[in-house]
Amino acid sequence: MMNRLSLDGNWELAYFPEGSIKPENIVKSDGEILTWIEAKVPGNCQLDLVRRGELPDPFVGLNTKMFRGQEFYEWWYRKKFFLGEEWRGKRLEILFEGIDTFATVWLNRKLVGEAKNMFIPHSFNITKHVKFNEKNTLLVRIRSADLSVRGKDLDGTYDVMHSYERLWARKAAHSFGWDICPRLVTTGLWRSVSIIPHKTPEIMDFFFKVIHADQKHARIVISVTLDLPRSDPGELYLEVYGHCDDSQFSSRRKVLTSFVEVYVDVVNPKLWWPRDLGSPNLYDVTLKLVKEGEILDEKHAHLGIRTVRLLQERQPDGGVSFIFVINGEKVFAKGSNWVPADAFHGRDIKRIPKILELFSDLNCNMIRVWGGGVYESDEFYNFCDREGIMVWQDFMYACAIYPQVDEFLDIARQEAEVIVRRLRNHPCIVLWCGDNEVDQLYAALGFNPSRNKISRVVLRDVCNRLDPTRPYWPSSPHTPSKPTEPNYPKEGDSHIWHHGTYFKASEYSEDKSRFISEIGHLAAPHVDSIKQFISEGKVWPKDKDEWNHHFGTHVDLQFLPQRLQRMEDSIRKYFGKVPDRLEDYVLASQIVQAEALKFWIERARQRKFECGGILWWNVMDCWPQFSDAVVDYYFRKKLAYDYIKRVQRPLLISLSEQVADELPIIVINDTLNNVTVEFEVEAYSLKGKMPYKKRGRAEIPKNEKKCVGSVKIAELDSNANPPYLFILRLSFDDKEFENHYLYGCIPFRLEDYKIFLDRIQKLK
Ligand code: BMA
């Protein structure tokens, strides 16, 4: 079958205040009555204007404010293309992989379709309207999102961000303004556009349903949806072949109806494992439609054979566990939250591969796709499949009480059906989650979140029906037995936010969470980055307006101006004062963040399986700002990056907090092998290395943690006063892993920390 025709690349763009020119006049003239500029697809209209210098770089200073007026514009795209004779006789569809958001499409002056949802692809049949061997003119009108949803029923809704128009617009929530994202209500063809030829019969969709898998045997049901002729298809067979190295399977079934189920049994299957536990094996699968030896259609895909379960068992302290179990083995989740790759989603495609490399390099085995962004691209999930990174997938609802009327529930249902069908063949996805912090909001307003029909009825039903292989979790955070206490620590997942509080304060150090799905600490980005996004002359001393703007105050919320203050509170608590040199200010903020994240991850791992995992907030910024991210928008890493990378390795040596005079040494083994390790602990005071050394050897059973000894403060040289820096070393299999622990009482002196930092930065 002939390949698709990509329409990506240069398009034309025109724009004007919505309604000031009649659409029918534009269509009638093939757009000739408009003035066109050059546009890039995939892209965003606003960026096309920036490229021409008609709008400033929105990421500098207070410039996002200059994009507000454009929110009330309509935008027209035009593309002219040719199709040769070879395209004749096929059913032709135009596929828009992402339209942001309220759009109408015409081809050769004929209406071909409408779109109202940024999150899902749209495909329109253009067979009747296309011309062969001559010019085709495609026109796309994108209306203002604000104006498109005006007048919709908002009674009974609530929006934390006070941007109510977003509730009816199925468009990335953050674009209306968030603490971590600017208000930039974008428009555009943000993903690829192509023309796809179809012929009948055709394989339309398939689902690899793994119903059983262990080391010896796997059974997979492959459900296939076909497009068949409206007459007897004859001796038509569906054939399936799969292989992964030397493991193979095949099956064949006669096609009688347009829905076919093929059962596949695999002996000694090569299972898909999350990283650290094994290899993320993938089978190459080919599905063929065959009639009398002729292949009529063929599709290729990857299959990861694995099972997933969410273990929720009563625990000795009365709580309930929250542990992912893959192929029967518990997995401790270490990872981070995925926020939008860019405030302009038209640029995602360029940034996503680079950002994903960071997750992998940071030793993450899980990513949570947060509900305030978008469902990610195929490349995103393919990467996670290949790397063995599990994905916690939110549906795109965040921080609001959404409309509960039937019209909205239908929109939600249709979107979920498309998304679940699109993503369910990715073994990386281990959980469908209804939303971000919607339960929490219901509870905060005094309502029971079980009333939310979106997460409790619509999404649950779609997941149960279209993908019964994965657990469904209604909201993050959520507590099944106490819905009105979604953040109850001993059950379900928790979001832990206390900006400005010392990271070892009891809120953190006595936390009993069963699974931490959000926790984060603010820090400034690199000085060079600050100079890139704060206007000249406003960098230092800080210009309150510009700094606050890049801390989230573009959203008119009371709590946001305090973010800057709270970051400084945390510096003051750790170092006694806020440095008055910019370089030191940045360093101090990054040290506190680095030590905080290191401490939280270590503590969660030390509580292995009382706690099922920790997904900290977050790796990357979607625009240049002061934030919880550990890599800034320009890809400059904060200090926390290396600290996290060290403490997320599968084998970890760590010190736990002091009990009486001792600090327990805890080794954690996240692999499925029993390991024998050698360890040692060295101590440094500000005067240099101390004569202390502790050595040992220990066996750590697979997938467990163990206390292998302790550091006794009384055994240290009493001539040197704290602070002390402990260097912990673990040797295994000719490899050495190091970690550190800073001992002493806050406040530390920044000058003292700098002395230790030299040593910390040399850790292996
Ligand atoms: C959380 C999220 C977001 C927010 C983030 C960072 O609680 O779920 O809504 O952007 O914190 O502050």
Side-chain angles (χ1 to χ4, degrees):
M1 167 92 81
M2 191 164 41
N3 276 337
R4 60 176 63 197
L5 172 75
S6 168
L7 296 183
D8 288 355
N10 291 340
W11 285 52
E12 294 172 286
L13 179 73
Y15 56 97
F16 46 86
E18 181 165 319
S20 55
I21 305 176
K22 283 196 170 143
E24 50 272 30
N25 293 342
I26 298 172
V27 174
K28 235 190 312 182
S29 75
D30 270 346
E32 289 307 318
I33 61 169
L34 299 180
T35 310
W36 298 93
I37 64 165
E38 194 185 275
K40 294 268 179 245
V41 172
N44 286 106
C45 306
Q46 290 74 9
L47 290 177
D48 295 321
L49 270 61
V50 172
R51 210 173 298 116
R52 281 170 64 86
E54 287 179 31
L55 281 171
D57 178 352
F59 288 178
V60 174
L62 304 176
N63 287 351
T64 62
K65 292 180 194 281
M66 296 170 73
F67 287 67
R68 172 77 174 139
Q70 324 282 328
E71 290 181 21
F72 304 94
Y73 279 35
E74 61 178 278
W75 307 79
W76 286 72
Y77 277 103
R78 183 166 72 173
K79 179 83 177 173
K80 296 176 184 159
F81 65 90
F82 285 84
L83 288 178
E85 272 304 318
E86 68 278 18
W87 291 78
R88 211 185 274 277
K90 321 235 161 25
R91 183 164 55 84
L92 299 180
E93 285 196 344
I94 186 160
L95 170 67
F96 293 88
E97 291 181 34
I99 307 181
D100 179 8
T101 295
F102 295 89
T104 313
V105 182
W106 293 266
L107 178 66
N108 300 328
R109 306 181 187 183
K110 298 281 179 337
L111 178 73
V112 296
E114 302 221 11
K116 290 182 183 155
N117 190 326
M118 172 186 179
F119 299 128
I120 56 174
H122 292 86
S123 185
F124 305 121
N125 190 333
I126 53 168
T127 321
K128 276 199 230 139
H129 308 309
V130 87
K131 295 189 252 177
F132 301 98
N133 284 328
E134 41 175 321
K135 189 184 70 192
N136 289 279
T137 304
L138 181 67
L139 283 172
V140 182
R141 177 192 187 215
I142 301 187
R143 295 177 52 209
S144 150
D146 312 44
L147 298 178
S148 298
V149 296
R150 231 180 232 182
K152 288 282 186 196
D153 185 358
L154 286 163
D155 258 3
T157 64
Y158 186 82
D159 178 14
V160 175
M161 305 297 160
H162 293 280
S163 295
Y164 278 84
E165 68 273 50
R166 80 175 173 96
L167 303 189
W168 271 95
R170 294 309 291 151
K171 175 170 166 55
H174 69 84
S175 63
F176 296 89
W178 216 262
D179 59 349
I180 55 158
C181 311
R183 182 181 176 100
L184 284 165
V185 185
T186 53
T187 47
L189 300 177
W190 70 285
R191 280 181 173 157
S192 293
V193 184
S194 51
I195 294 178
I196 303 181
H198 294 272
K199 61 176 188 178
T200 311
E202 190 181 2
I203 299 166
M204 303 299 288
D205 186 34
F206 46 89
F207 176 31
F208 302 131
K209 205 187 304 172
V210 179
I211 51 177
H212 173 83
D214 59 33
Q215 305 282 0
K216 292 210 171 85
H217 169 240
R219 167 156 274 216
I220 301 128
V221 179
I222 307 179
S223 315
V224 185
T225 306
L226 302 169
D227 179 36
L228 292 181
R230 299 173 68 85
S231 54
D232 180 4
E235 289 288 299
L236 192 61
Y237 286 89
L238 183 77
E239 297 181 355
V240 180
Y241 306 92
H243 73 94
C244 173
D245 300 332
D246 56 353
S247 171
Q248 295 180 1
F249 62 79
S250 65
S251 192
R252 173 181 151 101
R253 181 167 285 253
K254 181 149 191 226
V255 172
L256 293 173
T257 60
S258 60
F259 185 77
V260 182
E261 288 211 317
V262 181
Y263 287 72
V264 166
D265 286 290
V266 192
V267 181
N268 301 328
K270 290 199 172 286
L271 299 176
W272 184 93
W273 288 102
R275 58 187 292 167
D276 304 347
L277 274 75
S279 303
N281 293 306
L282 293 173
Y283 282 74
D284 285 320
V285 183
T286 306
L287 296 111
K288 287 182 187 170
L289 265 182
V290 182
K291 188 175 177 178
E292 291 155 17
E294 192 192 346
I295 300 167
L296 301 182
D297 190 25
E298 188 171 322
K299 294 268 151 65
H300 298 271
H302 284 128
L303 157 68
I305 302 180
R306 59 111 187 86
T307 58
V308 53
R309 200 155 58 91
L310 187 58
L311 186 66
Q312 296 178 77
E313 277 181 344
R314 185 68 55 201
Q315 294 197 310
D317 68 354
V320 179
S321 66
F322 190 101
I323 302 168
F324 287 92
V325 177
I326 306 288
N327 304 327
E329 298 285 352
K330 294 178 182 174
V331 190
F332 185 89
K334 302 172 290 250
S336 186
N337 282 271
W338 176 271
V339 303
D342 198 297
F344 290 98
H345 284 284
R347 289 199 287 224
D348 285 0
I349 191 174
K350 293 198 198 93
R351 290 173 56 84
I352 286 175
K354 250 176 116 176
I355 303 173
L356 282 172
E357 287 299 338
L358 298 172
F359 276 82
S360 178
D361 184 52
L362 281 162
N363 296 313
C364 294
N365 68 4
M366 187 180 274
I367 300 184
R368 169 174 173 242
V369 179
W370 167 70
V374 294
Y375 306 99
E376 288 302 338
S377 60
D378 293 343
E379 293 72 31
F380 175 96
Y381 300 99
N382 289 338
F383 178 94
C384 295
D385 287 346
R386 280 197 310 271
E387 294 280 314
I389 298 179
M390 299 175 286
V391 173
W392 165 313
Q393 179 67 50
D394 281 5
F395 285 94
M396 293 302 128
Y397 301 90
C399 301
I401 295 192
Y402 284 82
Q404 299 287 309
V405 294
D406 289 347
E407 183 189 348
F408 192 80
L409 300 183
D410 284 345
I411 295 172
R413 181 174 295 106
Q414 284 162 23
E415 175 187 308
E417 285 174 351
V418 173
I419 294 304
V420 172
R421 285 205 167 94
R422 201 196 118 207
L423 300 180
R424 61 189 172 172
N425 284 331
H426 289 283
C428 63
I429 297 179
V430 295
L431 185 84
W432 296 112
C433 173
D435 59 60
N436 173 71
E437 295 184 351
V438 173
D439 271 25
Q440 210 172 354
L441 184 60
Y442 268 84
L445 297 173
F447 304 127
N448 189 328
S450 312
R451 283 168 45 164
N452 179 5
K453 292 189 206 146
I454 300 168
S455 61
R456 300 313 202 272
V457 181
V458 175
L459 301 176
R460 178 177 298 211
D461 282 358
V462 171
C463 291
N464 285 346
R465 187 159 45 83
L466 299 184
D467 181 14
T469 67
R470 290 177 175 87
Y472 172 78
W473 191 247
S475 184
S476 180
H478 165 68
T479 307
S481 74
K482 295 178 192 280
T484 54
E485 287 178 62
N487 226 359
Y488 175 70
K490 288 192 190 170
E491 186 181 330
D493 64 323
S494 315
H495 291 191
I496 304 178
W497 290 103
H498 305 285
H499 287 310
T501 306
Y502 174 41
F503 62 81
K504 288 192 183 182
S506 57
E507 289 88 333
Y508 296 111
S509 62
E510 289 167 24
D511 170 63
K512 299 263 186 285
S513 291
R514 299 300 116 130
F515 192 99
I516 302 167
S517 41
E518 285 186 12
I519 188 167
H521 200 289
L522 296 164
H526 194 282
V527 174
D528 292 349
S529 298
I530 300 177
K531 288 183 178 160
Q532 238 169 303
F533 67 81
I534 299 286
S535 315
E536 227 183 306
K538 303 206 164 174
V539 173
W540 201 254
K542 314 187 267 288
D543 177 88
K544 281 265 157 51
D545 284 347
E546 285 208 10
W547 276 61
N548 270 319
H549 184 71
H550 288 265
F551 254 105
T553 51
H554 40 265
V555 193
D556 184 19
L557 294 183
Q558 278 172 350
F559 70 89
L560 290 174
Q562 297 162 19
R563 277 163 73 85
L564 168 61
Q565 238 164 280
R566 291 200 180 148
M567 184 183 86
E568 294 188 354
D569 287 347
S570 68
I571 298 174
R572 206 172 287 111
K573 280 180 185 140
Y574 203 66
F575 287 119
K577 60 177 185 198
V578 179
D580 47 20
R581 277 182 60 236
L582 176 62
E583 286 69 16
D584 281 344
Y585 179 96
V586 168
L587 177 66
S589 80
Q590 292 196 4
I591 289 171
V592 189
Q593 183 197 40
E595 287 285 347
L597 282 156
K598 172 178 127 64
F599 174 71
W600 295 331
I601 296 167
E602 283 178 333
R603 183 166 180 274
R605 294 189 66 179
Q606 289 164 359
R607 293 172 59 233
K608 184 168 177 164
F609 295 140
E610 175 198 324
C611 173
I614 176 166
L615 306 178
W616 40 275
W617 189 282
N618 67 318
V619 174
M620 166 60 66
D621 284 324
C622 72
W623 83 305
Q625 62 176 334
F626 302 87
S627 72
D628 312 279
V630 300
V631 184
D632 72 33
Y633 180 77
Y634 309 112
F635 287 92
R636 292 193 185 97
K637 292 169 181 161
K638 299 182 189 174
L639 188 66
Y641 188 91
D642 288 335
Y643 285 40
I644 294 170
K645 185 174 168 174
R646 275 195 288 273
V647 298
Q648 291 208 140
R649 291 183 289 209
L651 283 178
L652 174 71
I653 179 163
S654 63
L655 286 188
S656 158
E657 291 307 278
Q658 186 168 1
V659 186
D661 186 40
E662 294 180 47
L663 290 100
I665 306 168
I666 318 271
V667 179
I668 295 124
N669 175 8
D670 281 353
T671 73
L672 289 185
N673 301 315
N674 300 328
V675 294
T676 304
V677 298
E678 279 169 21
F679 63 90
E680 57 184 27
V681 183
E682 288 172 359
Y684 292 76
S685 73
L686 290 169
K687 294 192 226 152
K689 200 162 175 180
M690 298 166 81
Y692 172 84
K693 185 155 263 182
K694 172 129 206 153
R695 278 212 180 98
R697 192 183 161 84
E699 268 191 42
I700 322 292
K702 68 172 210 175
N703 217 1
E704 280 189 22
K705 57 165 188 213
K706 190 168 173 182
C707 178
V708 298
S710 70
V711 171
K712 296 189 181 61
I713 296 301
E715 289 173 1
L716 294 172
D717 174 3
S718 56
N719 289 329
N721 290 324
Y724 304 135
L725 176 72
F726 291 111
I727 303 292
L728 313 153
R729 191 169 300 118
L730 191 75
S731 314
F732 166 73
D733 222 9
D734 292 336
K735 286 190 269 305
E736 281 197 342
F737 305 108
E738 292 180 328
N739 193 10
H740 78 273
Y741 182 93
L742 182 66
Y743 178 86
C745 293
I746 53 165
F748 295 103
R749 282 162 28 104
L750 181 60
E751 282 57 45
D752 294 348
Y753 196 100
K754 281 184 185 171
I755 294 171
F756 288 149
L757 188 56
D758 275 348
R759 180 66 190 87
I760 293 170
Q761 287 183 318
K762 291 192 191 101
L763 291 177
K764 284 189 227 160

